[in-house]
Amino acid sequence: MVMSVNALLTGMARKRGFWVLLAILVWLSLPKAYAAILVSVDSNPAQANQPIVLTVEVDQDMPADAFNSDFLSSQFIVGRTSVRRSTQIINFESKRTTTWQTIIVAPKPGEFNIAPVTIGNQTSKPFTLTIVEPNAEQLTNQPVKINNALTHSRGYVGQVLTYQIELLVGDELQRGAIQPPKADGLSFQQIGDDQDKTEIRQGKRYRVINRNYAVTLDKPGTYELSGAVFNGDIVVNKRNPNTLFSFNESQPVRAQAQPLTLTVQQQPADFNGQWLVADLVTIHQNDEQWPQQVEVGQPINLQWQITAVNSDVNKIPVPKLQLNESVKVYPEKPQRKSAVRNQQVIAQVTLTQAIIPTQAGELTIPAIRLPWYNPRTQQTEYATLAAQQLTVVESEASRPVISAIDTPAPNPPATEVWPWQVACAMLAFGWFITVLVWMSSRKQASKGQARLVTTQVQVNLGQLKRATTSIDLPMSIKLSSQLLSNDESPLTLSQINDLYPEVGQCLQLAQRLAYSGHEQDSQQLSEILGALYTNVAQALQKPKAVPGAKLPALHASDYP
């Protein structure tokens, strides 16, 4: 009986311990119904225009979007927000924590109320953040400083100024970004690479980073530019008061430069011509020298380059050539590009035009006179290119061939004809007929071969005429190469350009017009192919050139 009672008590104790352990495990696994929220800042009072770390901590596992920092944007400059989660188990009790950290910046001193933060069913308590102006010592000891400057405080529409930024970093920089000011009517574009160096200023070592921006003035007006802003993180060394060790920690930093004022003016009323403002403008001819004499129908490639210093490349005007009606002009689309040299913006426009004279005579390429405004001297100056004179002569195919006309000789006096003279004349005539028949039989094969070649050239020339008329550029190139070849292998385009420059220029001009990627002008292409046919026909009247053929060198030792 005693044994059964003991066994019953033991079983009940075991069941009770099981249920107690089960209850503890269930209680630990359930989330707390009410979570506490703690909102704090890393410093109060804090300095104006310096980053402040706002920390929101809730003792519960929450999603990352449970906290929204938009309510702070009405009073502060709100930066990035980071979130982290942690879990601690102490004495079989787990504690989950979610922490948000947001970087805020107060733009001016004053008292700022931090509104309550609500996450889930809990709301934090509001508090007041005091912002003060930093004193001189605090400004001197700031880990990051930034300075900015403009090359000129006044400019004109279309001018390009240089905006310079200098960043001073006194501690180890972990990451960071520089933001130039923004304004409607101004365009900022970084030019060149950053210059990174180390300097000693006021007895402290700084890492100095210089960056330049090209500021294009698009609209007139007065602009109040807020200073450039740097946001980043530096590495600071902190010591744990509970241990003998120290550790590195990332600390957010922010710096803003002083504001600047920029005045953009319209073009002066007394400026005549298409508006162009720059520090310097030049025009030069890309080719060293144009030909002094050309034939009718021979294309001439004209190319100029306009260079402007510190000017908008899209505002450089394109001058037009005033040529007479006897010259056909085929302009190409201007090529615009800009580069940076010695911290200055160099804008260049390349102009290419092909002209084809249609009449013989003197041809004048007129001078180019481009007005531009110098903002330093505030005067109108001119970039000029001198005129050039060319002589256009008739092509060989169009020159008339004057044949000599024999003048009839006076009739000799009548003489008496003897019978033996008649017999000798008949004998000589028969001998002449015999020799002629013999020579004709020997040269019959060679004459047939020459007749065949001449016929083939005429056929190919007719095909070239049809190809140029129908504006078939590939077939025109193929037939031109076959007609100008001296053997069965066709000439290449480079060989045609070397041996027959007039034909090569026509081919280059036609290819450039047909494959330039712009909308084709069928009339221009038809005229160029017509000139190609004329030049090929003229070349066939001359002895064919042999590619790569050279005369042997003359040496005195080879001759007695």
Side-chain angles (χ1 to χ4, degrees):
M1 186 68 178
V2 175
M3 291 292 293
S4 61
V5 171
N6 291 336
L8 180 62
L9 293 175
T10 302
M12 293 176 62
R14 288 179 178 177
K15 289 182 179 180
R16 184 173 57 185
F18 171 75
W19 289 110
V20 170
L21 179 61
L22 181 60
I24 292 175
L25 293 176
V26 171
W27 178 79
L28 289 176
S29 62
L30 291 176
K32 296 182 179 180
Y34 300 100
I37 300 177
L38 178 63
V39 179
S40 61
V41 291
D42 60 343
S43 60
N44 192 5
Q47 298 179 19
N49 290 317
Q50 290 300 313
I52 304 168
V53 180
L54 176 72
T55 303
V56 178
E57 183 177 347
V58 56
D59 53 353
Q60 188 177 355
D61 189 6
M62 301 294 293
D65 58 353
F67 171 69
N68 191 346
S69 61
D70 291 344
F71 73 97
L72 299 169
S73 59
S74 60
Q75 304 181 85
F76 304 96
I77 301 173
V78 181
R80 66 182 185 275
T81 298
S82 60
V83 59
R84 69 174 184 270
R85 297 178 178 86
S86 62
T87 301
Q88 294 180 346
I89 299 178
I90 301 175
N91 296 330
F92 299 102
E93 181 179 356
S94 65
K95 179 182 179 181
R96 293 181 175 87
T97 304
T98 305
T99 304
W100 293 268
Q101 285 189 332
T102 300
I103 306 300
I104 60 175
V105 177
K108 58 183 179 179
E111 301 289 333
F112 297 87
N113 295 322
I114 305 299
V117 177
T118 301
I119 297 179
N121 298 326
Q122 292 295 316
T123 302
S124 67
K125 295 181 179 181
F127 66 94
T128 301
L129 176 61
T130 303
I131 304 298
V132 298
E133 194 73 41
N135 55 38
E137 182 180 358
Q138 290 173 335
L139 290 175
T140 304
N141 296 329
Q142 284 181 354
V144 176
K145 304 175 183 178
I146 188 170
N147 303 315
N148 61 341
L150 277 168
T151 52
H152 302 285
S153 60
R154 303 178 69 88
Y156 293 87
V157 173
Q159 188 177 356
V160 176
L161 304 180
T162 302
Y163 180 73
Q164 302 168 341
I165 295 178
E166 181 186 57
L167 180 67
L168 305 176
V169 183
D171 292 325
E172 181 181 352
L173 181 64
Q174 188 177 33
R175 69 179 69 89
I178 298 176
Q179 299 176 355
K182 296 180 180 180
D184 185 19
L186 304 178
S187 301
F188 288 81
Q189 182 179 4
Q190 182 177 347
I191 55 176
D193 298 327
D194 293 344
Q195 297 180 358
D196 198 337
K197 57 185 177 180
T198 303
E199 294 183 2
I200 304 295
R201 297 191 181 183
Q202 298 179 352
K204 185 176 180 179
R205 184 182 298 274
Y206 286 95
R207 178 185 176 186
V208 182
I209 300 175
N210 292 291
R211 178 179 293 182
N212 294 326
Y213 287 86
V215 186
T216 304
L217 313 183
D218 299 324
K219 297 179 181 179
T222 300
Y223 298 88
E224 298 294 337
L225 300 178
S226 59
V229 177
F230 172 80
N231 289 297
D233 295 296
I234 59 174
V235 178
V236 295
N237 186 273
K238 288 192 174 182
R239 187 180 185 86
N240 192 338
N242 299 324
T243 64
L244 298 177
F245 303 100
S246 60
F247 60 94
N248 292 332
E249 186 181 36
S250 176
Q251 175 181 325
V253 291
R254 184 181 189 273
Q256 184 170 9
Q258 295 295 324
L260 300 173
T261 301
L262 173 62
T263 303
V264 181
Q265 307 175 72
Q266 283 279 18
Q267 72 178 63
D270 57 350
F271 182 85
N272 295 322
Q274 192 169 351
W275 174 246
L276 175 61
V277 57
D279 292 341
L280 178 66
V281 178
T282 60
I283 302 179
H284 71 275
Q285 175 185 328
N286 280 2
D287 298 334
E288 295 183 358
Q289 187 176 4
W290 290 332
Q292 298 299 318
Q293 180 174 317
V294 296
E295 294 183 354
V296 173
Q298 178 182 347
I300 307 171
N301 290 327
L302 309 180
Q303 193 173 74
W304 307 271
Q305 193 171 72
I306 303 176
T307 303
V309 180
N310 293 330
S311 181
D312 187 358
V313 67
N314 296 315
K315 299 294 178 62
I316 298 178
V318 177
K320 295 183 179 180
L321 289 181
Q322 300 297 332
L323 296 171
N324 53 39
E325 297 180 354
S326 64
V327 178
K328 296 184 180 298
V329 182
Y330 304 97
E332 295 186 8
K333 184 178 180 180
Q335 302 295 323
R336 300 176 183 268
K337 63 180 180 179
S338 59
V340 178
R341 296 176 185 173
N342 299 327
Q343 304 303 324
Q344 290 185 331
V345 178
I346 309 299
Q348 290 184 339
V349 177
T350 302
L351 309 175
T352 303
Q353 294 184 355
I355 63 174
I356 299 178
T358 60
Q359 296 179 8
E362 295 297 327
L363 175 61
T364 300
I365 307 296
I368 298 178
R369 194 168 186 260
L370 182 65
W372 61 281
Y373 188 78
N374 191 333
R376 297 182 179 180
T377 62
Q378 296 187 355
Q379 293 181 354
T380 301
E381 301 184 13
Y382 296 89
T384 58
L385 185 65
Q388 295 200 26
Q389 195 78 14
L390 285 77
T391 302
V392 181
V393 298
E394 293 285 352
S395 60
E396 293 185 1
S398 61
R399 294 174 187 171
V401 180
I402 303 176
S403 59
I405 301 177
D406 296 336
T407 303
N411 294 327
T415 56
E416 185 179 358
V417 180
W418 297 92
W420 66 270
Q421 293 177 339
V422 175
C424 290
M426 293 179 62
L427 181 61
F429 180 75
W431 176 80
F432 175 74
I433 294 298
T434 304
V435 173
L436 185 61
V437 172
W438 176 72
M439 294 179 63
S440 176
S441 62
R442 290 192 57 183
K443 296 182 179 179
Q444 184 176 3
S446 60
K447 285 184 178 181
Q449 182 68 22
R451 199 175 297 115
L452 178 61
V453 173
T454 304
T455 303
Q456 186 63 37
V457 170
Q458 292 177 351
V459 171
N460 289 344
L461 196 59
Q463 293 178 351
L464 177 61
K465 179 64 175 179
R466 289 190 294 272
T468 55
T469 303
S470 60
I471 317 180
D472 188 350
L473 181 58
M475 182 58 67
S476 299
I477 296 175
K478 178 181 178 181
L479 292 174
S480 299
S481 176
Q482 292 178 355
L483 285 168
L484 298 176
S485 301
N486 206 17
D487 50 16
E488 295 181 356
S489 59
L491 294 177
T492 63
L493 293 179
S494 61
Q495 291 174 341
I496 293 177
N497 193 48
D498 294 338
L499 300 176
Y500 306 98
E502 297 83 0
V503 178
Q505 288 182 359
C506 289
L507 291 175
Q508 291 179 2
L509 186 59
Q511 287 179 313
R512 188 180 306 159
L513 184 63
Y515 306 126
S516 61
H518 308 300
E519 184 177 356
Q520 270 191 36
D521 191 331
S522 300
Q523 180 64 25
Q524 292 183 0
L525 188 58
S526 176
E527 293 176 356
I528 294 174
L529 292 180
L532 171 66
Y533 172 78
T534 302
N535 288 322
V536 171
Q538 294 175 8
L540 292 176
Q541 297 178 6
K542 304 175 183 179
K544 289 188 177 180
V546 180
K550 297 182 179 179
L551 292 175
L554 300 180
H555 301 283
S557 59
D558 295 339
Y559 300 90

